[in-house]
Amino acid sequence: MSNQNFKQTVYVNRFTDGTLDPNVEMSYHVKDKGNIIANTAPGCWGPMITPELKGGHEVTQPVFVEGAEVGDAIAIKINSIRVTSVATASGHDKPMEGRFTGDPFVAGICPNCGAKNPKTVVKGIGQGAVRCAECDEDVTPFTFTNAYTMAFNEDRSLGVTLNREAAERIAHKAKDYMCTPENSIQNPIVTFAPHDIVGAIARVIPFLGQLGTVPASAFPDSHNAGDFGQFLLDAPHDYVKTVEELEDRTDGHMDINRVREGAILICPVKVEGGGVYLGDMHAMQGNGEIAGHTTDVAGIVDLSVRVLKDLEVDGPILLPVAEDLPVVAKPYSSEEMEKARKLAEQWGVEKIEESYPLSFVGTGATLNDATENGLERAAKLLGIEVPEVMNRATITGSIDIGRNPGVVTVTFLVPSDMLRKIRLDQLTRNHYS
């Protein structure tokens, strides 16, 4: 591609149909060391009640990054995240039998006319409001078991869950309150007007549940991870995978709450140009996303991208902001280093390690599988054995749940000598200096 195709700053305002397909030509092109600015659509619940979407999310169309080739990596710096939604709704889900084939996130069907991934219209409010555009049947693939509507204050620092009257007022102007982007086709989840929890307060700390690169074969967007990907094994729809084909994933769907403003995420390149995409912004979430869903919001995101040549990584590597690090994984102060030098001299140790933290993302069918995956990814990249990773993660780091049932981070302090061999020493030092 000629240089004129690549822009210093790309403004992304179009979305996928819920799938990530390497065979679809990318229409956005950004220069290496350029910026991506996007107005993202809400994630899980809106797409989950919009069976026309084929992946459970509605992420941005991928961006081709200049110079990114298979076997490289792309470092993505999150410069800023701003919530634009005035309100949202969320809760624990219940799949509705008879309204999907095998997977309610991917293969919605109308239980009356049989239309696959049917187009829908919204009539009224409540959990029966999403109707088949062809025959007017209720086609919502999911409903709530316990759920809430939440409104945010003007500076988006707090949210409060609402009573029935307020939830229904929002439901009648759903798109206005959720601020869904113009090119989004999802049905706003506030239409359901849930109000099981009233008066709960939550701090707004926004992050991206989806941030990554295009996988090597076509995946439903929410299934681009080792845990959700299990639903594709022997699936009765077009996106069926074998165990081997699950390795095509890039783990862009992480739901790790530390993927927030100020963090850097290093992503694998499995197709030419990488294909950076994002979405599924959440207003807040503790570790684990234990309800299965949290507060999906629309927002504005500013990213910087940089190609890391010949850095072959199997999955994402996160450099969290310093305050999000486990205490034992924080970089050492000059005072601590001086104390360590004196202690080392006392015992005849000639050299102590300079080190910086990395968080290796691991995914799998269970949290144990995800932990093993993260340990193995770290060992492979650093050229050490898994038991050494286990030791370092025990005394200078931690294993933290990203999403239950199968996303974790394996965090530990990595010696500068190891970082230098994979050319990440300068990036980590600058990030934590």
Side-chain angles (χ1 to χ4, degrees):
M1 294 190 180
S2 62
N3 288 335
Q4 66 185 23
N5 291 321
F6 294 96
K7 295 180 168 55
Q8 183 61 40
T9 301
V10 170
Y11 300 92
V12 181
N13 67 349
R14 287 177 289 172
F15 306 96
T16 68
D17 64 355
T19 60
L20 298 164
D21 190 342
N23 298 309
V24 175
E25 185 175 354
M26 300 180 209
S27 54
Y28 294 100
H29 302 83
V30 71
K31 290 183 178 180
D32 185 15
K33 302 182 180 66
N35 290 79
I36 299 169
I37 297 175
N39 181 190
T40 62
C44 299
W45 267 107
M48 283 165 54
I49 62 168
T50 310
E52 184 179 350
L53 292 168
K54 302 171 184 176
H57 283 159
E58 191 178 27
V59 297
T60 58
Q61 290 186 8
V63 178
F64 190 111
V65 181
E66 177 186 33
E69 300 173 304
V70 176
D72 296 338
I74 299 174
I76 306 170
K77 172 73 180 292
I78 305 174
N79 298 315
S80 65
I81 296 180
R82 181 166 63 88
V83 174
T84 54
S85 293
V86 178
T88 190
S90 191
H92 186 258
D93 69 73
K94 177 184 178 182
M96 301 301 289
E97 292 298 331
R99 300 182 186 180
F100 58 91
T101 302
D103 190 330
F105 292 97
V106 177
I109 59 171
C110 175
N112 182 49
C113 71
K116 295 181 179 180
N117 297 109
K119 294 182 181 296
T120 56
V121 293
V122 175
K123 294 186 175 181
I125 65 172
Q127 297 201 80
V130 177
R131 320 296 295 189
C132 176
E134 292 297 320
C135 71
D136 201 41
E137 181 71 19
D138 180 357
V139 291
T140 304
F142 293 93
T143 56
F144 287 127
T145 58
N146 181 278
Y148 51 87
T149 299
M150 178 180 288
F152 305 109
N153 62 350
E154 190 171 351
D155 67 2
R156 305 301 193 272
S157 61
L158 287 173
V160 172
T161 57
L162 304 178
N163 58 23
R164 177 176 178 173
E165 181 183 5
E168 291 184 348
R169 188 164 76 243
I170 286 170
H172 284 294
K173 294 185 176 181
K175 288 191 175 182
D176 291 342
Y177 279 103
M178 288 211 72
C179 301
T180 50
E182 287 76 8
N183 292 324
S184 166
I185 67 168
Q186 67 178 261
N187 300 313
I189 189 55
V190 292
T191 302
F192 280 10
H195 50 272
D196 294 318
I197 300 173
V198 179
I201 309 167
R203 295 183 181 91
V204 174
I205 307 174
F207 69 97
L208 293 171
Q210 285 261 22
L211 179 61
T213 47
V214 171
S217 63
F219 274 73
D221 50 16
S222 66
H223 293 32
N224 183 25
D227 54 352
F228 268 69
Q230 302 299 312
F231 297 133
L232 302 177
L233 297 175
D234 299 320
H237 54 66
D238 293 343
Y239 299 98
V240 59
K241 301 286 184 189
T242 64
V243 171
E244 291 74 24
E245 288 169 335
L246 281 185
E247 296 302 313
D248 291 344
R249 71 185 193 270
T250 55
D251 285 338
H253 182 208
M254 296 176 290
D255 286 328
I256 295 170
N257 58 13
R258 298 176 293 287
V259 182
R260 67 183 183 99
E261 184 173 309
I264 296 174
L265 188 70
I266 299 171
C267 298
V269 174
K270 295 198 174 185
V271 300
E272 186 185 4
V276 174
Y277 72 92
L278 62 153
D280 193 28
M281 184 188 295
H282 297 154
M284 74 280 293
Q285 179 198 294
N287 286 350
E289 197 182 24
I290 200 64
H293 310 283
T294 184
T295 44
D296 307 310
V297 287
I300 307 293
V301 183
D302 178 352
L303 307 174
S304 299
V305 295
R306 175 185 168 192
V307 176
L308 304 175
K309 298 300 294 180
D310 302 317
L311 180 65
E312 191 164 357
V313 296
D314 289 339
I317 301 169
L318 178 64
L319 280 67
V321 296
E323 67 183 86
D324 288 349
L325 289 164
V327 173
V328 291
K330 291 181 185 294
Y332 295 111
S333 66
S334 55
E335 182 181 358
E336 287 174 311
M337 290 296 289
E338 185 57 33
K339 287 181 180 179
R341 287 189 193 94
K342 289 180 179 178
L343 179 61
E345 288 173 5
Q346 180 183 333
W347 290 94
V349 176
E350 295 181 0
K351 182 183 178 183
I352 59 171
E353 294 177 348
E354 178 190 7
S355 56
Y356 294 93
L358 290 180
S359 289
F360 292 85
V361 175
T363 73
T366 68
L367 290 173
N368 284 345
D369 292 333
T371 300
E372 184 176 348
N373 180 238
L375 294 169
E376 290 173 349
R377 284 175 169 178
K380 179 180 177 182
L381 181 65
L382 298 175
I384 58 180
E385 298 297 321
V386 167
E388 180 174 347
V389 177
M390 296 169 77
N391 279 331
R392 290 185 179 276
T394 299
I395 63 173
T396 72
S398 69
I399 310 298
D400 294 292
I401 300 173
R403 176 180 60 241
N404 189 64
V407 178
V408 305
T409 51
V410 176
T411 305
F412 59 99
L413 287 168
V414 180
S416 288
D417 290 347
M418 293 184 191
L419 293 171
R420 198 171 297 114
K421 288 179 182 177
I422 56 175
R423 301 187 303 283
L424 286 182
D425 52 319
Q426 198 65 47
L427 180 67
T428 53
R429 186 179 291 110
N430 289 346
H431 184 60
Y432 290 112
S433 62

